[in-house]
Amino acid sequence: MPRRWTRLRILLGAAVLPLALVSPAWGGTDPAPPPPEAPSTLCASAGVLHGAHGQRAAVSLCAGSGTPTMAVSAPASCRRHAPIARYACRSSGTWTARRAGETVASGTLPGSGQYPGPGTYEFTATVRVRSMPEGVDVQGTVHTTLTLTAPVPKATHGIEVDRSTLRPDSVTTLTYTVRRFSDQGDGSARFGLIAQEGTGAELTTSDPRCVNPLIGRYPAQDRLPHALDCALTDLQPGHPDTVVVRVALKSPCSTVVSKLGYWMPQGQALYTGGMLAGPTVTCG
């Protein structure tokens, strides 16, 4: 009997050896990629503003990331005289974001700009803080640094144009190409073009999907000659759409800017669309 058990232990040891040799291959399997970073808001203290009569407002600057836009706000906590006399307060003003010394975004407070991508940003804001009820009204400039880590979201749509400049006292034909990359959403989008008001610029097209926007109260039939509004309904991945536009300029120069509004449905939820800034055609 002892010999039988010894022989069994030897056989078991021989069976374990191949498993030990194979196990490093299992451990070498590449791990699953981490899930994309969820949209979030990052805040940091930016400064304290003081008034002449004991008013005080502690201001933070916040920036959102993980979506195509970067929303910026300046929440504040304000008080007057004694620390226990705290107020609800509202803030307004303007902001600028710089990365490596270069301005990459700016706007009003609260407001948003195109998300420039991950990196360390220096935010500067000129802020006015007022309390509710009245009692605190202070203003000044605040600063903070925010490091945003979310990657730039993958583009869902794109806009291209075949020319980059216009000339005064001329008529130029522009061909815009609108693409949809994402399988989410649908083929509908609202494509808009607008020149500078007061320059005499006129935008026209023979495309039946486009109109010069109607202005004024009913029954007025006045339309904006320097703007076009196009309803696109057949955008599909792999099937771009084009819009051909004639731009007539007088002696004053005018740029032409473009944008695209699109729907990314999530059931019947509202506010699931997006806005894409298209190219700006300059004049010179």
Side-chain angles (χ1 to χ4, degrees), residues 22-282:
V22 173
S23 60
W26 295 346
T29 304
D30 292 336
E37 184 173 323
S40 60
T41 299
L42 181 66
C43 299
S45 298
V48 179
L49 304 178
H50 297 274
H53 304 288
Q55 303 102 323
R56 182 181 185 276
V59 182
S60 297
L61 289 176
C62 302
S65 62
T67 67
T69 59
M70 179 173 66
V72 179
S73 60
S77 173
C78 49
R79 69 189 189 203
R80 182 180 181 185
H81 302 305
I84 59 173
R86 296 183 180 274
Y87 297 82
C89 46
R90 55 185 178 181
S91 56
S92 59
T94 59
W95 62 274
T96 300
R98 293 180 177 85
R99 182 173 57 186
E102 179 183 355
T103 299
V104 294
S106 61
T108 59
L109 288 170
S112 60
Q114 187 172 358
Y115 177 51
T120 298
Y121 295 88
E122 297 177 359
F123 282 86
T124 301
T126 300
V127 185
R128 182 182 181 186
V129 179
R130 290 170 288 176
S131 65
M132 299 176 62
E134 295 181 359
V136 176
D137 190 343
V138 294
Q139 54 188 337
T141 301
V142 295
H143 310 267
T144 197
T145 299
L146 297 175
T147 298
L148 306 178
T149 58
V152 176
K154 190 175 180 179
T156 61
H157 294 72
I159 307 172
E160 298 174 355
V161 65
D162 63 342
R163 295 178 63 96
S164 59
T165 58
L166 303 170
R167 297 288 183 186
D169 291 315
S170 66
V171 178
T172 305
T173 298
L174 302 177
T175 300
Y176 288 87
T177 302
V178 182
R179 288 183 169 86
R180 173 180 157 214
F181 306 115
S182 175
D183 290 324
Q184 294 182 324
D186 55 36
S188 298
R190 180 66 63 86
F191 181 52
L193 301 166
I194 188 166
Q196 291 173 264
E197 186 176 2
T199 61
E202 295 184 0
L203 274 58
T204 59
T205 181
S206 60
D207 195 317
R209 301 170 298 177
C210 305
V211 296
N212 296 98
L214 186 68
I215 57 173
R217 297 176 64 88
Y218 181 83
Q221 294 297 310
D222 297 331
R223 296 182 179 272
L224 289 179
H226 63 281
L228 278 176
D229 191 1
C230 306
L232 308 181
T233 58
D234 297 322
L235 286 177
Q236 293 177 294
H239 180 69
D241 215 337
T242 58
V243 177
V244 180
V245 179
R246 286 167 52 90
V247 181
L249 297 184
K250 301 186 182 301
S251 57
C253 259
S254 172
T255 59
V256 175
V257 301
S258 59
K259 62 182 178 180
L260 184 78
Y262 54 90
W263 185 282
M264 300 291 283
Q266 296 173 2
Q268 292 183 328
L270 298 179
Y271 310 115
T272 60
M275 186 68 71
L276 174 68
T280 296
V281 182
T282 61

Side-chain angles (χ1 to χ4, degrees), residues 6-30:
T6 302
R7 187 177 297 112
L8 180 59
R9 284 196 296 268
I10 293 173
L11 292 175
L12 288 175
V16 170
L17 179 60
L19 292 177
L21 294 175
V22 173
S23 60
W26 295 346
T29 304
D30 292 336

